[in-house]
């Protein structure tokens, strides 16, 4: 089937538009195999996830993480990976983020064409398909709409046979998910920071999940015990590093994540320590 997305009939035509307007975008989504943890999804839960990495917080000149704290900004997964590729990676993410804000229609067209290709490729191989659009951002994708063949839809509506999942530090979004007020194919996990324990308790009490970045010893000990003492309580935990596919997690749990990248050296309180 052919598609016209926001007036563009192909990914190439949308890319040409972006480049003509000063945005040297090549691709928007990353491949499932490009991130070791995301790659586990295909091996552990038979799901192939395409993540999207934008430039976090206000690195691009535009804020994509409205609730960023000093600790999460310093410990952001944007810094994870091989340092030798950091400059190139950051430049690409800044370019994409600026295109998103300055040429939204063309950006979204490229995104949807790539999402279609991802679904086509991995569905044909027998995998379930997922998208993690906030891999290094915190935008309300449930509200973003595109025009596809003359019909305005959200991404979750158009890709109703696929799963979406993200982390967020926006309390209202996390509680809305816990209460069932988000699209049924969109899973949201709340992110603990050094300054939001009270909100974490609210989310857990509503039946939502909270991701906690922990130093290695606490991460391992919590998984052995099945619980963690934190945020003024004792909470049931699940292993957030076994794979990246958060929709497979039970509800109302703390998702334990081992500190990575700059988070290993955090002293703000963002990384939980024993």
């Amino acid at each position: 089937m052919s598609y016209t997305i926001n007036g563009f009939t192909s990914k190439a035509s949308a890319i040409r538009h972006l480049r003509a307007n000063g945005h040297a975008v090549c691709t928007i989504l990353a491949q499932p195999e490009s991130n070791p943890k995301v790659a586990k999804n295909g091996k552990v839960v038979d799901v192939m996830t395409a993540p999207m990495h934008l430039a976090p917080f206000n690195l691009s000149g535009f804020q994509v993480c409205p609730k960023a704290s000093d600790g999460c900004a310093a410990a952001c997964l944007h810094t994870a990976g091989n340092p030798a590729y950091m400059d190139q990676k950051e430049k690409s993410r800044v370019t994409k983020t600026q295109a998103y804000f300055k040429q939204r229609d063309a950006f979204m067209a490229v995104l949807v064409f790539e999402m279609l290709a991802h679904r086509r490729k991995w569905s044909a191989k027998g995998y379930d398909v997922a998208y993690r659009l906030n891999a290094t951002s915190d935008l309300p994708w449930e509200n973003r709409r595109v025009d596809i063949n003359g019909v305005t839809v959200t991404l979750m509506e158009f890709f109703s046979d696929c799963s979406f999942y993200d982390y967020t530090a926006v309390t209202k979004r996390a509680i809305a998910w816990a209460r069932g007020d988000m699209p049924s194919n969109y899973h949201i996990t709340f992110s603990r920071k050094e300054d939001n324990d009270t909100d974490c308790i609210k989310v857990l009490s509503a039946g939502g999940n909270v991701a906690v970045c922990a130093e290695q010893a606490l991460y391992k000990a919590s998984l052995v015990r099945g619980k963690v003492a934190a945020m003024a309580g004792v909470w049931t935990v699940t292993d957030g590093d076994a794979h990246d596919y958060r929709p497979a997690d039970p509800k109302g749990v703390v998702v334990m994540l081992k500190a990575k990248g700059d988070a290993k050296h955090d002293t703000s309180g963002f990384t939980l320590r024993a």
Side-chain angles (χ1 to χ4, degrees), residues 208-241:
N209 294 353
V210 173
V212 170
C213 177
E215 52 90 15
Q216 184 171 340
L218 179 59
Y219 164 80
K220 289 183 176 180
S222 299
L223 295 180
V224 170
R225 292 192 299 264
K227 294 184 181 297
V228 65
M231 301 170 290
V234 179
W235 312 96
T236 300
V237 302
T238 192
D239 186 359
D241 282 344

Side-chain angles (χ1 to χ4, degrees), residues 43 72 89 104 116 167 172 195 253:
K43 301 172 184 177
C72 73
K89 179 172 71 174
R104 181 75 54 87
L116 286 166
Y167 296 84
K172 288 175 63 175
D195 60 358
V253 298

Side-chain angles (χ1 to χ4, degrees), residues 29-59:
L29 292 176
Q31 293 299 314
E33 306 94 329
S34 66
N35 180 301
K37 186 180 169 187
V38 172
K40 290 181 182 179
N41 292 357
K43 301 172 184 177
V44 179
V45 290
D46 293 324
V47 178
M48 298 305 289
T49 298
M52 181 171 72
H53 296 91
L54 298 179
F57 33 97
N58 60 359
L59 190 63

Side-chain angles (χ1 to χ4, degrees), residues 134-185:
N134 278 329
T136 46
S137 56
D138 194 354
L139 296 170
W141 290 104
E142 67 274 13
N143 297 331
R144 298 297 181 256
R145 288 172 167 76
V146 288
D147 184 289
I148 301 178
N149 292 347
V151 179
T152 300
V153 293
T154 66
L155 296 174
M156 287 81 184
E157 289 170 337
F158 185 69
F159 291 96
S160 60
D161 57 334
C162 302
S163 297
F164 293 75
Y165 66 97
D166 281 319
Y167 296 84
T168 187
V170 180
T171 310
K172 288 175 63 175
R173 295 182 72 225
I175 291 179
W177 178 81
R179 292 175 175 169
D181 295 333
M182 283 282 182
S184 60
N185 57 338

